[in-house]
Amino acid sequence: MGIEKRGSSTELHLRTTIEQSPLATAILDPDGRYLLVNAAWNALWSRGEYGFPESSSVFENERLRAMGLAPYIEECRQNAAVTTPILFCEATPETRARWLQAFIYPVRDETGTLLQVGLVFEDFTDRKALEDELAHQAFHDSLTGLPNRALFLDRLGQGLSRAKRQAERGEACGLALLYMDLDDFKRFNDSLGHAVGDQLLVGVAERVASRLRLGDTFARFGGDEFAMLLEGLEDVVQAAGVAARIKQDLSAPFQVDGHGAVVTTSIGVVVAAPGETGEYYAEELMRRADIAMYRSKRQGKNRHEIFSFGMNHSLERLGLEEDLRRAIERGELRVYYQPQIMMSTGETVGFEALVRWEHPERGLLAPSEFISLAEETGMIIALGQWVLAEACRQVRIFREQIPHEAPLRMSVNLSARQFRYPELVEEVAAILSETGTEPRDVVLEITESVMMEKGPDARGILRALKGLGLTLAMDDFGTGYSSITTLKSLPVDILKLDRSMVEGMDGDPQNRALVSATIGFAHALGLDVVVEGVETAGELDALRSMGCDIAQGYYWYRPCSTEKATELLVS
Ligand code: C2E
Ligand code: MG
Ligand code: MG
C-alpha cells in the first residue's frame, strides 16, 4: 500500500501523529510492554509522585494493575474486536478522584496474529461532573434546594413498594401524600414583587422541613406548590394530624423584607391503598391529593381535606373537560408565537408555536391549565394536530412576507402521548402535505424524558420524523434525567436549554460553568443550542459569550398573537 511505498518518512509521520495526539495513547506489544507512549499519556499519568511509565509493562504498573486492566488486554488477545469504552474511577492519595475512559484495541496482521495493542485513555472527569450536576439539578428545586417533582415521584414509587412489603410483614404501612398550595400567594407576589415572594417561599420551605421526621420527603413542585410524603403511618388520622400541625406552624408570621407576612395554606391529603404500586398508581395518588387540595380551596382555604372518591367526579375539572372537547370545534384555541432570536445578529429566525385557549368565561388560559387534562383524556391528539396544522399554515404565510431564503423555522411541541401515538409519523406527513409546508421550515420539540420513556423505539420514531425532512429539538434540557450520553445517542439537531438553567446562572459561577459546558458539549456533538427564557441583559451577555446560537425569552418578546408576530417579522 501507499504507506509502505513511501517508507520511513511516512512511518515517522505516523509516529509523530500519535505522539502529538491529544488523547493519552500507548502502543503495547502483545505482552503488554510499551512500544510507544505519547506526551498526553505522560501528562495523564505523571501527576504526583507516580511517575509513569515507570516499568516496562503495563502489568507491572501498580496503578494500572489496580484498575484491573489485565482482563481487557487478555480479551484483546483472544478477540478481534475493539472493546467498548471502559470507565474507570481512579483515586490516589495525591490526586483527586478522576474518571477515565479507556479504549483498548488489538492490531493484527492478515493471518490474525496479534501484533500490538492500542490503549487510549481520555480523562472523563469534567464530563462526569457535568452529568452529576445536571442530575442533581434535575432532581432539586433551585430556589429552596428541596426535591422537585421528579424526585418526589421517584420516592413515592419507592415508598409504595416499601409499604407493600411492610403490609406483607404485618407492619404499620400507611403512606400518605399531602399536597399543599399557599393561599393567595399570587396576590402577595404581585404586590410585593418576586424577590420578596421568593424569600417567603424559602421561609415556608425551611419552617416546614425543620419539623418533618427523618425519612419523610418534602418537595416543591414549582410556584407555591409543595408536596409531602409520609411513611409508616398507623392511619389516616395521623396524616390529617400532620396537615393540622403544618397549618399551626405556618400561622406565626414570617419576616420578609421588613414585613411581617402571614401565610395560610390549603392542603389535600390522600392515603395509599396498601399493596398498590406502580407508576400509574403514583400519578393517580398525586391527582387525588390535588383534587383534595382544590376542595380545601373551595371550602374557604386555610384548611385541609382528605380525599374521598365522591370528590373525584364532583369537580369543576369535569366541566373543563367538556369545554375542552368543544373548544376545537368552537374555534376557541389560538396559537401564539414566540420569536426566536439569532444571538449574533439580533434578527428573528424562527418562532415557537404555543397554544392558548380563549375560554368564554375564564379568559385566556395558558397551556399549564389544560395540556395535562388534554393529555390524560387523549384530547391532546386532536389538539396537537390542530396546533401543528395551524403553525404549518402560518409559517407558509410568514414565508410569503419575507425575502426568499431568509432563515425562518417554526417550532411545535409534541407531548408524551402524541409521541406514543402509533400514527404520529403518518399524521405529521399528512399535515405537511395538506398545508403545503416545506418540512425544513418545521422543528418538532420533544422533551428528553418523553424520548427516553419510549425506550429503544424512540430512535426509530425520531429517524422516521427526520426522514420527512423535519428538524428535531430536545426540549427542556436540564429538567429531566438529562444526560449527555443519551443526547449523543439520539438523532436530534437542536438542544433547548430550559429556563431553569438560565435562571440558575445569576451570581452563581458554578451554574454558569454548567451552562457553558453544556453548550460546549452540544456544539461538540454538532447540535445547535436554543436557550429558553432569557429575561435580562445580563443573561443575554453571558449566553452570547458562551457561544449560544439562538434564544427566546421575555427579554425580547413574550409569545404573541399572529398579528403581532407578523408585524415584528416584516418591520
Ligand atoms: P415549552 O415548550 O418549554 O415552552 C416555553 C415556555 O416558556 C412557554 O410557556 C413560554 O411562554 C415560556 N417562556 C418563554 N420565554 C420566557 C421567559 O423569558 N421567562 C419565563 N418565565 N417563561 C418564558 P407556555 O406558553 O406557558 O407553555 C408552557 C408549556 O406548555 C410549553 O413549554 C410546552 O411544554 C407546553 N405547550 C405549549 N403549547 C403546546 C402545544 O401546542 N402542544 C403541546 N403538546 N404542548 C404545548
Ligand atoms: Mg417547547
Ligand atoms: Mg422548554
Side-chain angles (χ1 to χ4, degrees):
M1 291 277 309
I3 293 180
E4 268 150 56
K5 266 191 219 137
R6 266 181 259 144
S8 62
S9 92
T10 304
E11 199 177 298
L12 191 67
H13 289 157
L14 288 175
R15 198 185 171 89
T16 314
T17 308
I18 295 173
E19 274 165 1
Q20 295 183 1
S21 160
L23 294 176
T25 308
I27 310 292
L28 312 173
D29 74 6
D31 295 320
R33 277 189 294 267
Y34 296 105
L35 298 172
L36 176 68
V37 298
N38 69 2
W41 177 278
N42 283 327
L44 183 73
W45 294 107
S46 60
R47 294 189 194 156
E49 10 184 282
Y50 289 81
F52 194 86
E54 60 194 6
S55 53
S56 57
S57 147
V58 280
F59 299 118
E60 286 158 34
N61 179 271
E62 217 176 283
R63 288 170 72 190
L64 283 175
R65 230 197 357 244
M67 285 165 68
L69 213 56
Y72 296 104
I73 294 187
E74 194 47 45
E75 199 185 314
C76 247
R77 288 212 181 113
Q78 321 278 338
N79 298 317
V82 177
T83 57
T84 49
I86 309 151
L87 275 192
F88 295 102
C89 180
E90 193 207 37
T92 65
E94 284 77 20
T95 59
R96 261 187 335 135
R98 58 177 174 172
W99 287 84
L100 299 173
Q101 182 166 242
F103 296 84
I104 307 175
Y105 58 97
V107 182
R108 297 176 190 281
D109 65 13
E110 44 301 339
T111 67
T113 309
L114 183 67
L115 299 177
Q116 295 173 353
V117 175
L119 188 53
V120 177
F121 275 97
E122 189 185 356
D123 192 331
F124 186 69
T125 313
D126 292 345
R127 192 158 14 139
K128 183 83 176 67
L130 174 62
E131 291 200 350
D132 291 349
E133 180 57 34
L134 279 171
H136 180 85
Q137 280 207 350
F139 291 119
H140 292 85
D141 164 47
S142 62
L143 179 65
T144 60
L146 291 176
N148 65 8
R149 189 186 185 95
L151 181 54
F152 187 84
L153 257 178
D154 188 59
R155 297 256 175 95
L156 177 56
Q158 290 172 13
L160 289 171
S161 305
R162 208 164 20 243
K164 187 173 180 192
R165 290 193 298 273
Q166 285 164 339
E168 283 159 6
R169 292 197 298 262
E171 298 167 9
C173 62
L175 180 147
L177 207 157
L178 271 56
Y179 199 90
M180 72 188 241
D181 187 292
L182 305 185
D183 297 330
D184 305 312
F185 179 72
K186 192 172 174 324
R187 212 162 55 206
F188 181 89
N189 217 10
D190 291 346
S191 60
L192 293 176
H194 287 271
V196 180
D198 283 355
Q199 277 181 42
L200 183 64
L201 291 171
V202 171
V204 168
E206 281 171 356
R207 197 180 287 178
V208 175
S210 71
R211 295 288 305 254
L212 288 182
R213 288 187 315 184
L214 206 72
D216 292 341
T217 299
F218 180 44
R220 176 167 175 242
F221 283 3
D224 59 341
E225 285 173 39
F226 296 87
M228 208 174 293
L229 179 65
L230 310 171
E231 295 185 59
L233 302 177
E234 300 288 342
D235 52 29
V236 66
V237 179
Q238 264 188 325
V242 174
R245 209 190 60 214
I246 291 172
K247 278 188 317 206
Q248 174 70 34
D249 286 348
L250 292 183
S251 65
F254 286 88
Q255 283 306 317
V256 279
D257 198 35
H259 303 266
V262 177
V263 180
T264 65
T265 177
S266 300
I267 303 177
V269 181
V270 64
V271 177
E276 290 275 10
T277 56
E279 204 176 307
Y280 176 79
Y281 187 67
E283 290 278 3
E284 178 60 24
L285 278 180
M286 303 257 273
R287 203 175 68 88
R288 290 178 188 173
D290 185 37
I291 287 173
M293 189 276 290
Y294 263 106
R295 170 56 69 95
S296 321
K297 291 267 188 215
R298 294 192 341 155
Q299 298 287 324
K301 303 179 181 170
N302 191 20
R303 52 186 290 129
H304 68 268
E305 287 284 335
I306 298 167
F307 174 82
S308 71
F309 279 94
M311 288 178 184
N312 209 355
H313 299 291
S314 69
L315 270 170
E316 49 180 290
R317 192 178 173 86
L318 209 61
L320 202 62
E321 189 173 327
E322 261 155 43
D323 288 355
L324 185 56
R325 270 184 213 292
R326 281 184 298 230
I328 300 182
E329 43 195 85
R330 286 182 183 165
E332 291 168 2
L333 295 182
R334 304 274 174 274
V335 180
Y336 271 46
Y337 299 95
Q338 185 174 38
Q340 297 182 323
I341 310 296
M342 176 68 74
M343 297 275 252
S344 54
T345 61
E347 61 177 336
T348 298
V349 291
F351 292 95
E352 178 170 5
L354 295 157
V355 69
R356 300 286 181 266
W357 178 10
E358 222 163 79
H359 192 283
E361 287 117 45
R362 297 165 199 240
L364 197 66
L365 299 182
S368 59
E369 298 180 75
F370 61 92
I371 286 283
S372 65
L373 178 65
E375 183 79 10
E376 274 168 38
T377 53
M379 283 185 269
I380 192 75
I381 300 291
L383 187 153
Q385 285 171 357
W386 181 83
V387 172
L388 180 61
E390 192 61 26
C392 282
R393 249 191 296 279
Q394 195 55 51
V395 73
R396 221 197 48 216
I397 298 173
F398 283 153
R399 270 244 167 269
E400 289 161 6
Q401 293 162 335
I402 58 169
H404 190 61
E405 290 304 314
L408 188 75
R409 276 198 300 211
M410 180 66 79
S411 298
V412 182
N413 293 284
L414 277 197
S415 78
R417 192 142 174 179
Q418 284 175 280
F419 192 61
R420 283 200 302 265
Y421 182 58
E423 268 110 298
L424 171 71
V425 180
E426 289 83 352
E427 285 290 354
V428 172
I431 290 173
L432 288 173
S433 89
E434 279 161 24
T435 56
T437 312
E438 286 286 346
R440 66 184 169 93
D441 288 347
V442 180
V443 181
L444 292 182
E445 295 191 358
I446 305 164
T447 65
E448 184 189 28
S449 55
V450 167
M451 292 186 190
M452 292 321 292
E453 214 174 80
K454 193 71 188 158
D457 292 352
R459 209 169 313 165
I461 301 172
L462 296 174
R463 287 235 171 82
L465 290 171
K466 271 181 77 79
L468 299 177
L470 299 163
T471 304
L472 299 180
M474 184 182 277
D475 202 356
D476 296 351
F477 191 81
T479 58
Y481 297 73
S482 300
S483 122
I484 308 260
T485 316
T486 34
L487 184 59
K488 212 166 115 183
S489 70
L490 293 170
V492 295
D493 314 282
I494 295 174
L495 181 72
K496 286 198 84 172
L497 280 194
D498 192 71
R499 153 122 195 99
S500 58
M501 287 189 78
V502 178
E503 216 172 10
M505 290 193 311
D506 192 28
D508 186 336
Q510 226 172 338
N511 279 339
R512 213 174 251 260
L514 180 69
V515 173
S516 168
T518 305
I519 293 174
F521 277 114
H523 282 160
L525 295 174
L527 305 177
D528 283 342
V529 177
V530 177
V531 178
E532 303 192 294
V534 176
E535 291 188 355
T536 66
E539 290 168 351
L540 165 64
D541 287 342
L543 290 163
R544 194 185 275 144
S545 72
M546 294 171 189
C548 161
D549 309 296
I550 295 175
Q552 61 189 84
Y554 297 170
Y555 177 73
W556 294 279
Y557 306 101
R558 289 181 180 248
C560 53
S561 66
T562 315
E563 294 72 35
K564 267 201 75 183
T566 309
E567 222 171 87
L568 67 92
L569 190 62
V570 297
S571 66

